[in-house]
Amino acid sequence: MRYLLFIAGMGGLLYGIDIGIIAGALPYLEATASVAWKLSAQQLSFIVAAVLLGSVLSSLFAGALADAIGRRWTMVLAGALFTASIPLIALSDGYLPLLLGRLLQGVSGGLIGVAVPLYLAECLHADKRGRGAALFQLLLTIGLVAAAVIGLVQANSVDSATQAAQALPAGARADAIFAAKDHAWRSIFWMCLTPGLVFTFGSLLLAESPRWLVQRGRIEQARAALLRTRAPAEAETELRDMQAAAGTVAARRNQAAAQGPGAGPSAGDIAAARGVAAPRDGSPASAPAGDSLASRRYILPFLLACLVLACTQATGINSVLAYVVNILNQAGLPGATANMADVGLKVLNAVMTVVAVLLVDRKGRKFLLMLGSAGIVVALLAAGLLFRSAEGEQRDVRSIVAAQAQGDTLTLRLDAPTLQALGAPAGDAAQLLTVSYSYGPFTNVQTRRSDDPALPAMILSRDSAVQEDSVIGAFFRRLHLNPFADPAAGRNAPLQIEQARIGALPSEAHGWQVTLAICLFVASFAVGPGVCVWLALSELMPTRIRSNGMSIALLVNQFVSTTIAAVFLPTVGQYGYAAMFFFWAGCTVVYFLTATFLLPETKGKTLEEIEAHFAR
């Protein structure tokens, strides 16, 4: 059992590394590869986004692959692809091998995101299943932290090399710094090789999912797999229910011998003869396994799982974590303090995930989702009200800002003359300027604080708003399936100032109040949705559609996440942060109601019993 959890946890670690590793490597990759290989900014963005494209593509077939070759071999394949990607990237001498390596990492991540939760749900005892999924989420979080630590180690190495090179002549100094940065990004990827090897070879030693084996008619192998984590009597009972759920009518000679010649058939035996699953609590059995895929027992849990995943993304978790430094900075915290708060939030996320690991099999999924979603609603409403109080005091200066544009660009420095022109009151109070602008369908938002010692200029240009398609966008645009704006529509569009507001910078105390609200948000998410979403994904799906249903649900998850990311900045620029927080709070209310009234408690129940619940 511990070995199974360890290997599954390593899958979560790889998933987290997949997501986070490029952040530390990108600055050095940009400083070296873009020069040596003449990479454009567009090609660099493709390298970053290739992981997401690979994940989306593999999610499309991960379920079918897991059904075809088994859960264990899908995990082995995912680990092998990740392991192969490391030398391909670290030894690359051009754009194509680097892009291919990143694409392989994305494919690996997509397979892991389906196969590992699926394997855990089908292999673990009902009383341990929640802890297994929580451990996957915990190691995923640790993977993100590990990626950041690896990047930090290499950043310190580059800083040391840069300091040592100061004594060299100019040419030699430039070569030494270039070599240090080139070594840094390659080393960042090399340091990820060990967990990939551990996961790959460790997965080879795992038993196959007993439910997959039963579906293939390999009953003895399924029994052997169950006996690795269960007592013999319990393994036989669960195996009988698996056969019933799979529509298998099989004689149970060993069970009959154990019951004695005079014993009557058990509820499971009767259920197996009818092709249904008999729950242990005597509740009505599920429908035959050969019924229509459009029946209630399949449609209802599938839609419920998709709703849970969509609501998880609609809490705004990804946008909050991605923009937390900007959010806290505009709330009133100084830049360095906001960065420290960001680190603190990541630590809090990991700590609260540990708490969730301890609680999920004791308190249950339904309770944690209700608790977590309720806490998120309170946190988002508090943050929204705090921002509304600050944003309500800002003044509209759109016409003044628009008048300073020169052609399709605008350069603005928030110095004393500019503040006077914008009508800011005289005095020492720091001012915050927020400008939302667009070029055709492309929008962007920039902010400046008058108390910034560097006082950088605000430069509104086409390049800062109109972004070429990423590798994902280009792929889907060729298929005429890209729902987002076409870069061609923004190349010749004029600069349009959508909103421009200026007001007194919120106090640092206000910033700490927002920080506390976001701490509550992150803690509530980690305890509830952060862990339970993987359980909802794997537990709710009936055995017949579990693998393919999980693939589709993950695509829904990625679609909602991408949509929220696309509308975040335009919404903030047009209506302010308060509107975004209130919108997320409304979505999370739907989440709370779903957890309260629609989601069944699955703690301590076998997958067959959960399936029987939806058949009633």
Side-chain angles (χ1 to χ4, degrees), residues 14 115 153 184 225 282 295 300 365 375 387 411 439 455-456 459-460 466 503 589 608 616:
L14 288 190
V153 168
S295 64
L300 187 58
R365 294 76 156 127
F387 268 108
T411 302
Y439 290 88
L455 210 62
I459 302 175
L460 312 186
V466 180
V589 169
E608 288 69 35
R616 292 200 290 267

Side-chain angles (χ1 to χ4, degrees), residues 164-422:
Q166 296 305 312
L168 299 175
R173 180 169 64 248
D175 290 342
I177 294 174
F178 183 93
K181 291 182 177 180
D182 184 72
H183 179 266
W185 73 260
R186 296 179 190 274
S187 297
I188 286 173
F189 286 103
W190 276 124
M191 293 173 75
C192 302
L193 181 62
T194 300
L197 290 170
V198 171
F199 179 73
T200 303
F201 289 104
S203 296
L204 286 170
L205 301 179
L206 292 172
E208 182 53 85
S209 160
R211 286 171 172 82
W212 184 83
L213 292 170
V214 167
Q215 287 181 316
R216 293 298 183 275
R218 293 151 66 174
I219 306 303
E220 290 305 317
Q221 293 181 43
R223 178 181 288 109
L226 285 171
L227 287 173
R228 296 179 69 165
T229 56
R230 292 158 176 79
E234 192 174 20
E236 291 298 327
T237 300
E238 195 163 343
L239 179 60
R240 184 173 59 241
D241 288 345
M242 290 180 193
Q243 290 179 267
T248 304
V249 182
R252 312 297 295 164
R253 285 179 290 183
N254 292 339
Q255 292 173 349
Q259 292 171 352
S266 68
D269 295 328
I270 297 172
R274 295 175 179 171
V276 299
R280 291 175 296 180
D281 59 3
S283 56
S286 63
D291 59 353
S292 170
L293 287 174
S295 64
R296 168 192 172 93
R297 68 185 299 214
Y298 298 121
I299 294 296
L300 187 58
F302 171 74
L303 293 178
L304 186 56
C306 288
L307 179 60
V308 168
L309 263 71
C311 286
T312 298
Q313 291 300 325
T315 61
I317 182 65
N318 287 342
S319 293
V320 169
L321 293 181
Y323 293 99
V324 67
V325 175
N326 289 357
I327 292 171
L328 296 181
N329 195 248
Q330 292 200 41
L333 289 187
T337 307
N339 278 281
M340 289 177 58
D342 179 32
V343 175
L345 285 170
K346 290 179 179 177
V347 173
L348 176 65
N349 187 24
V351 170
M352 295 309 296
T353 303
V354 174
V355 174
V357 170
L358 300 176
L359 292 179
V360 67
D361 279 323
R362 297 180 184 178
K363 297 297 184 180
R365 294 76 156 127
K366 187 182 183 79
F367 172 79
L368 289 184
L369 270 180
M370 291 171 60
L371 177 66
S373 57
I376 291 172
V377 170
V378 172
L380 290 173
L381 288 176
L385 290 171
L386 287 167
F387 268 108
R388 184 172 183 178
S389 67
E391 292 168 350
E393 298 177 359
Q394 294 179 340
R395 300 180 308 282
D396 182 10
V397 291
R398 185 170 69 91
S399 59
I400 301 175
V401 171
Q404 300 191 38
Q406 296 181 349
D408 291 332
T409 62
L410 188 152
T411 302
L412 197 67
R413 192 180 300 275
L414 211 56
D415 51 19
T418 302
L419 288 173
Q420 184 177 4
L422 294 174

Side-chain angles (χ1 to χ4, degrees), residues 42-121:
Q42 183 64 51
Q43 288 175 312
L44 284 171
S45 71
F46 283 176
I47 291 169
V48 174
V51 163
L52 183 55
L53 174 61
S55 178
V56 170
L57 292 177
S58 61
S59 294
L60 291 172
F61 63 81
L65 183 66
D67 275 344
I69 67 174
R71 287 55 163 138
R72 179 176 69 113
W73 282 108
T74 303
M75 292 166 60
V76 172
L77 176 61
L81 290 176
F82 181 89
T83 302
S85 74
I86 299 302
L88 188 60
I89 293 172
L91 298 175
S92 60
D93 58 355
Y95 173 64
L96 287 180
L98 185 59
L99 182 67
L100 179 59
R102 291 286 293 162
L103 193 64
L104 285 181
Q105 285 190 333
V107 172
S108 169
L111 293 177
I112 288 173
V114 171
V116 174
L118 178 62
Y119 182 79
L120 286 171

Side-chain angles (χ1 to χ4, degrees), residues 557-568:
N557 178 75
Q558 290 167 340
F559 173 77
V560 174
S561 176
T562 302
T563 301
I564 289 178
V567 304
F568 177 74

Side-chain angles (χ1 to χ4, degrees), residues 479-612:
L479 300 176
H480 304 287
L481 295 175
N482 190 327
F484 301 109
D486 189 339
R491 292 191 185 113
N492 298 313
L495 170 64
Q496 180 72 31
I497 304 299
E498 303 290 345
Q499 287 283 343
R501 300 186 301 272
I502 191 169
L505 183 71
S507 66
E508 189 168 342
H510 180 274
W512 282 114
Q513 290 172 348
V514 173
T515 302
L516 289 176
I518 294 181
C519 283
L520 175 61
F521 171 81
V522 170
S524 299
F525 184 89
V527 167
V531 165
C532 294
V533 65
W534 296 107
L535 286 166
L537 182 62
S538 57
E539 289 183 337
L540 294 178
M541 299 286 187
T543 300
R544 187 179 175 191
I545 66 166
R546 184 171 295 120
S547 53
N548 289 314
M550 287 176 65
S551 292
I552 297 172
L554 280 174
L555 285 176
V556 171
N557 178 75
Q558 290 167 340
F559 173 77
V560 174
S561 176
T562 302
T563 301
I564 289 178
V567 304
F568 177 74
L569 282 179
T571 302
V572 168
Q574 192 74 18
Y575 304 106
Y577 280 105
M580 204 74 238
F581 280 112
F582 288 144
F583 170 75
W584 290 332
C587 292
T588 311
V589 169
V590 175
Y591 203 169
F592 176 80
L593 295 175
T594 299
T596 303
F597 298 108
L598 298 180
L599 194 70
E601 180 54 76
T602 58
K603 179 186 71 171
K605 295 182 179 179
T606 66
L607 297 180
E608 288 69 35
E609 289 174 327
I610 298 170
E611 185 173 342

